[in-house]
Amino acid sequence: MATLILVRHGRSTANTAGLLAGWTPGVALDERGAEQAAALPGRLAGVPLAAAVTSPLQRCRETLAPLLAARPELELHTDERIGECHYGDWSGRKLSELSEEPLMKIVQQHPSAAAFPGGESMRAMQARAVDAVREWNARIEESDGSDAVFLMCSHGDIIKSLVADALGMHLDLFQRIHVDPCSVTAIRYTPTRPFVFRLGDTGDFGSLVRRPAAPEPVASDKDAEDSGNAVVGGGAGAV
């Protein structure tokens, strides 16, 4: 079956403000995110792409804009099933405030039991994203053959849940996975099992270097990881 290239959107204004964006409208790439998006065509220059599929949210569309400009023949499709998790009443709130919510412990340690107030459950989030990938795999293979490669631009928690599915991991373990903004994850699907070839690859090891504490909100990624928690929504990546 086809090979899937998963791209997380570039760093957004919500990432650097320490906000859980969800489906909040008007969340754009920040300056760093625009730079990351501009570099994407070069990073994928050697990869033939049969199609590109995007979350409907602005930050994903902005991430793919330079790639589409460089490849005008590349057809773009929109699929709401790979849109961000519906965080409901948590949307637009500061992650530092949400860390005090009792539900956050469930999100971190038992996400398969977590449902966001006024939003969706994390199980439902994963299920819709996996369904989308399976359907697009079949569609791309039928139109372009089993060696075809296609791209999806989505969000941190969505990509982490897809990687967990590909690795045969229970959703309760998916917070152990991390994908930076504009990172590339590659999964090759076969009739019997998927193979993960790249995971959160940015071509940059800066995020592995421990940084001194910075003023909020940029320090939220480091603070969460030092406490053993994952950054809900995916975080802002290396500063």
Side-chain angles (χ1 to χ4, degrees), residues 48-179:
L49 295 173
V53 186
T54 184
S55 156
L57 295 174
Q58 178 179 340
R59 53 197 182 273
C60 287
R61 291 184 169 278
E62 290 180 350
T63 298
L64 289 188
L67 179 66
L68 296 170
R71 301 194 192 193
E73 77 287 354
L74 185 60
E75 188 174 3
L76 179 66
H77 307 269
T78 301
D79 194 325
E80 291 195 358
R81 294 174 298 176
I82 61 167
E84 181 63 283
C85 183
H86 291 278
Y87 295 115
D89 297 344
W90 280 27
S91 298
R93 293 181 59 189
K94 283 188 170 292
L95 288 163
S96 57
E97 297 174 358
L98 293 171
S99 66
E100 304 300 322
E101 294 280 354
L103 178 60
M104 183 59 83
K105 185 175 182 179
I106 308 302
V107 170
Q108 293 291 333
Q109 299 182 20
H110 190 20
S112 65
F116 295 99
E120 69 180 332
S121 69
M122 302 199 88
R123 286 184 295 107
M125 174 200 74
Q126 183 188 45
R128 62 173 165 86
V130 169
D131 284 347
V133 166
R134 301 293 182 181
E135 289 181 22
W136 277 102
N137 277 342
R139 179 173 174 177
I140 295 297
E141 183 175 10
E142 182 178 359
S143 63
D144 294 270
S146 59
D147 292 330
V149 181
F150 71 107
L151 178 148
M152 283 184 165
C153 186
S154 188
H155 307 266
D157 282 348
I158 295 289
I159 293 173
K160 287 163 56 178
S161 72
L162 289 170
V163 171
D165 172 75
L167 293 174
M169 294 169 55
H170 197 283
L171 183 61
D172 284 345
L173 302 178
F174 100 124
Q175 297 289 25
R176 302 183 183 193
I177 300 166
H178 183 81
V179 290

Side-chain angles (χ1 to χ4, degrees), residues 5 38-49 67 70-71 73 151 184:
I5 304 294
L40 191 60
R43 292 170 61 201
L44 297 177
V47 182
L49 295 173
L67 179 66
R71 301 194 192 193
E73 77 287 354
L151 178 148
V184 173

